[in-house]
């Protein structure tokens, strides 16, 4: 008796402790998933890296500009290009130069435009990959959240069942003392209490394990004391698609396959670039100085600033490069990319069928769980009436403890089945919302 009372008090304490923890609703869990999940953080970083690639592709249209300067000393034999003479003997000479130049590619077989398009598609692809990751994590979150909610409700139910079993044991022990029943009846009642205790321990352990997995997914410290709010979602089929109808246009997996197809098309266009000529523009301006430069009229060494003015030079030009023959490398590459394009189209078609199948099965699973929930509710109501009638008969001594225990066991099992079916129905409904992009 003291042992059973201690276990009941322990379960009550654990329940109060759980209720005192910070409670998380389903919407709060979804918000935490967005802000604290490490996989989503990495996906956001990949998007930022893709934005940098887009900036690089846009900057490729801008001409390059460079500046150069130099100064050198030389002792002994050297040819001075600025002075245009050979310097001999044990003599020091020095030279200086400075120039600024620019270069721009005017046409390169549409390579710059295709590269920009590829970077834009790459950015969009990273965003879609993030959406697909979020969808996958949301589905995982729903599974863990509703599993924890079901275990929590089952644990609360097991506490009530333990209380009923304890009350029955007290009655049996009282009857045994009055010699109105046998020791077998007391043993059965004790077995029922032990079974209820074991069920409560299993449900509490399952709930704790579910919380650990949920905190890990949400990026919360495992030492944090949290609990979940029992969801109270509307159990209706009005907002769902009718059986046989699906909508997967916004599915990120399909969008990713479509972007992959577009990338293959751009790769094919890019591969045709070597067939086109390349036109480039270049220009520069500079000047130089030599300690050996002389004035041709006076024969005196020319001053530094006079040389800067007379030695200046300006140049610009256009260059044209036309491909002639590359041993069929471009042709083979184009043929290879055409086959890759056909393969990507086939993958897109397969992905559409597969995602439609996933959504269709999810809808069918929802309707199945809705029917099961309705049937189990009817069964639960019948077992509740049977248990009530059996308890009245047991209290007046018309029925045996064995029959009463069987009715109680059937009632407890029906209640647990209804709890599981209810959370399964809510879970399947939320899964459909996630698959359709509504959540």
């Amino acid at each position: 008796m003291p042992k059973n009372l201690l276990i009941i008090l322990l379960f009550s304490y654990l329940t109060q402790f759980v209720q005192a923890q910070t409670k998380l609703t389903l919407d709060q869990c979804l918000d935490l998933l967005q802000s604290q999940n490490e996989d989503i953080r990495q996906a956001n970083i990949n998007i930022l890296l893709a934005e940098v690639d887009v900036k690089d592709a846009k900057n490729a249209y801008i001409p390059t500009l460079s500046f150069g300067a130099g100064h050198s000393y030389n002792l002994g034999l050297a040819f001075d290009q600025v002075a245009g003479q050979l310097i001999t003997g044990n003599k020091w000479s020095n030279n200086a130069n400075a120039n600024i130049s620019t270069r721009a590619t005017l046409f390169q077989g549409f390579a710059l435009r295709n590269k920009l398009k590829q970077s834009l598609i790459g950015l969009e692809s990273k965003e879609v990959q993030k959406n697909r990751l979020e969808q996958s994590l949301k589905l995982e979150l729903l599974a863990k959240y509703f599993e924890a909610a079901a275990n929590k409700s089952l644990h609360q139910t097991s506490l009530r069942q333990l209380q009923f079993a304890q009350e029955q044991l007290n009655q049996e022990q009282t009857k045994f003392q009055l010699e109105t029943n046998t020791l077998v009846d007391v043993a059965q009642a004790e077995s029922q209490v032990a079974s209820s205790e074991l069920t409560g321990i299993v449900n509490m352990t399952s709930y704790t394990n579910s919380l650990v997995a949920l905190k890990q997914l949400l990026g919360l410290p495992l030492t944090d004391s949290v609990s979940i709010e029992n969801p109270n979602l509307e159990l209706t089929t009005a907002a769902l698609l009718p059986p046989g109808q699906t909508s997967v246009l916004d599915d990120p997996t399909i969008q990713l396959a479509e972007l992959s197809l577009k990338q293959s098309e751009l790769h094919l266009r890019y591969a045709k670039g070597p067939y086109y000529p390349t036109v480039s523009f270049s220009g520069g301006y500079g000047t130089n100085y030599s300690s050996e430069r002389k004035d041709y009229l006076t024969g005196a060494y020319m001053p530094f600033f006079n040389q800067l003015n007379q030695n200046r030079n300006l140049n610009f030009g256009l260059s044209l490069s036309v491909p002639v023959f590359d041993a069929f490398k471009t042709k083979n590459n184009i043929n290879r990319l055409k086959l890759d394009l056909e393969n990507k189209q086939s993958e897109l078609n397969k992905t559409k069928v597969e995602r439609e199948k996933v959504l269709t099965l999810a809808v069918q699973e929802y309707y199945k769980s809705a029917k099961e929930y309705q049937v189990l509710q009817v069964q639960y109501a019948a077992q509740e009436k049977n248990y009530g009638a059996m308890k009245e008969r047991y209290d007046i001594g018309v029925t045996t403890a064995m029959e009463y225990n069987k009715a109680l066991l059937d009632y407890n099992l029906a209640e647990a089945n209804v709890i599981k079916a209810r959370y399964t129905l809510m879970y399947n409904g939320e899964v459909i919302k996630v698959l359709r992009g509504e959540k």
Side-chain angles (χ1 to χ4, degrees):
M1 181 66 181
K3 175 185 176 183
N4 296 331
L5 180 60
L6 178 62
I7 293 177
I8 293 176
L9 292 176
L10 178 61
F11 279 152
S12 300
Y13 170 76
L14 290 175
T15 302
Q16 293 175 0
F17 175 73
V18 169
Q19 293 176 350
Q21 294 172 334
T22 302
K23 290 187 176 181
L24 296 177
T25 63
L26 180 58
D27 291 336
Q28 289 174 337
C29 288
L30 291 172
D31 293 338
L32 287 173
L33 183 69
Q34 291 285 343
S35 60
Q36 296 193 195
N37 184 268
E38 294 298 332
D39 292 330
I40 293 182
R41 287 181 181 177
Q42 292 178 355
N44 290 328
I45 294 176
N46 291 333
I47 291 177
L48 295 177
L49 292 175
E51 290 177 352
V52 175
D53 293 337
V54 172
K55 291 180 181 179
D56 287 339
K58 291 180 179 179
N59 293 338
Y61 285 95
I62 303 175
T64 60
L65 185 66
S66 59
F67 172 79
H71 186 265
S72 62
Y73 288 92
N74 183 70
L75 175 63
L77 182 65
F79 182 79
D80 192 319
Q81 293 183 349
V82 177
Q85 64 181 16
L86 183 65
I87 301 173
T88 59
N90 189 16
K91 182 179 180 182
W92 282 97
S93 63
N94 63 85
N95 293 271
N97 64 82
N99 65 84
I100 185 171
S101 61
T102 183
R103 184 174 182 84
T105 301
L106 303 180
F107 180 76
Q108 197 178 9
F110 307 104
L112 297 180
R113 185 180 67 177
N114 291 332
K115 184 177 180 181
L116 177 58
K117 289 183 177 180
Q118 286 179 349
S119 62
L120 291 173
I121 291 180
L123 174 59
E124 188 177 358
S125 177
K126 293 298 182 182
E127 293 173 348
V128 174
Q129 287 178 8
K130 177 189 172 183
N131 295 337
R132 186 175 67 171
L133 174 64
E134 288 178 349
Q135 184 188 69
S136 176
L137 292 176
K138 286 178 181 178
L139 293 175
E140 184 179 355
L141 171 63
L142 291 177
K144 297 183 183 302
Y145 183 87
F146 282 102
E147 179 185 1
N151 290 328
K152 180 181 179 182
S153 296
L154 290 173
H155 170 66
Q156 294 171 347
T157 301
S158 66
L159 292 180
R160 294 194 301 269
Q161 295 173 357
L162 178 60
Q163 184 178 0
F164 294 154
Q166 186 63 52
E167 291 175 357
Q168 182 197 1
L169 177 59
N170 294 337
Q171 292 178 6
E172 293 295 337
Q173 289 175 342
T174 302
K175 290 180 180 180
F176 180 73
Q177 293 174 359
L178 297 175
E179 298 182 353
T180 58
N181 65 353
T182 63
L183 189 60
V184 175
D185 297 325
V186 177
Q188 289 180 351
E190 290 177 345
S191 175
Q192 185 67 33
V193 171
S195 178
S196 299
E197 292 174 356
L198 180 60
T199 302
I201 294 173
V202 171
N203 291 333
M204 187 61 189
T205 303
S206 299
Y207 174 63
T208 304
N209 294 339
S210 299
L211 282 182
V212 171
L214 187 63
K215 286 189 287 187
Q216 183 179 6
L217 179 63
L218 297 179
L220 298 175
L222 299 182
T223 55
D224 282 4
S225 297
V226 298
S227 65
I228 62 171
E229 188 78 23
N230 288 333
N232 188 20
L233 303 175
E234 184 179 1
L235 301 178
T236 177
T237 59
L240 295 179
L241 288 170
Q245 296 185 15
T246 57
S247 175
V248 292
L249 298 179
D250 296 331
D251 191 284
T253 303
I254 294 180
Q255 293 177 351
L256 198 61
E258 291 174 345
L259 290 174
S260 179
L261 179 63
K262 291 182 180 179
Q263 286 180 333
S264 294
E265 293 174 349
L266 283 177
H267 288 160
L268 181 58
R269 295 179 185 176
Y270 191 83
K272 297 178 180 178
Y275 284 143
Y276 296 93
T278 300
V279 181
S280 302
F281 169 81
S282 62
Y285 176 82
T287 186
N288 48 46
Y289 163 81
S290 172
S291 60
E292 302 301 317
R293 174 73 186 274
K294 295 181 180 180
D295 191 329
Y296 294 110
L297 298 178
T298 62
Y301 289 104
M302 185 177 294
F304 176 78
F305 289 102
N306 290 350
Q307 287 195 44
L308 294 183
N309 183 46
Q310 291 195 11
N311 295 347
R312 60 186 179 178
N313 64 86
L314 173 66
N315 64 85
F316 60 88
L318 291 175
S319 64
L320 174 66
S321 175
V322 180
V324 178
F325 181 70
D326 63 352
F328 303 108
K329 293 182 179 179
T330 301
K331 181 180 179 180
N332 293 335
N333 191 31
I334 290 175
N335 292 334
R336 186 183 301 108
L337 291 175
K338 285 181 179 179
L339 295 175
D340 180 70
L341 183 61
E342 293 180 5
N343 187 39
K344 291 297 176 60
Q345 181 64 57
S346 177
E347 290 180 0
L348 175 59
N349 296 336
K350 289 172 57 179
T351 301
K352 287 182 178 180
V353 174
E354 183 63 28
R355 299 311 295 176
E356 289 176 357
K357 174 185 175 183
V358 170
L359 183 55
T360 301
L361 292 178
V363 173
Q364 292 178 354
E365 188 66 23
Y366 179 85
Y367 282 103
K368 174 189 173 184
S369 59
K371 292 295 183 182
E372 290 180 349
Y373 180 59
Q374 293 174 358
V375 172
L376 290 174
Q377 279 183 311
V378 174
Q379 184 183 33
Y380 171 70
Q383 293 295 341
E384 186 177 22
K385 292 179 181 179
N386 180 62
Y387 169 71
M390 193 64 66
K391 188 176 187 306
E392 292 179 359
R393 299 182 63 183
Y394 174 75
D395 291 339
I396 62 177
V398 177
T399 187
T400 64
M402 183 177 297
E403 294 174 337
Y404 173 77
N405 288 333
K406 183 179 184 305
L408 178 60
L409 180 62
D410 293 339
Y411 170 69
N412 293 338
L413 182 60
E415 185 179 11
N417 290 336
V418 168
I419 292 174
K420 294 177 182 178
R422 184 171 184 270
Y423 285 110
T424 299
L425 179 58
M426 287 190 291
Y427 165 72
N428 290 332
E430 294 301 303
V431 165
I432 292 176
K433 292 180 182 179
V434 172
L435 292 178
R436 295 175 62 184
E438 299 174 359
K439 198 162 189 175

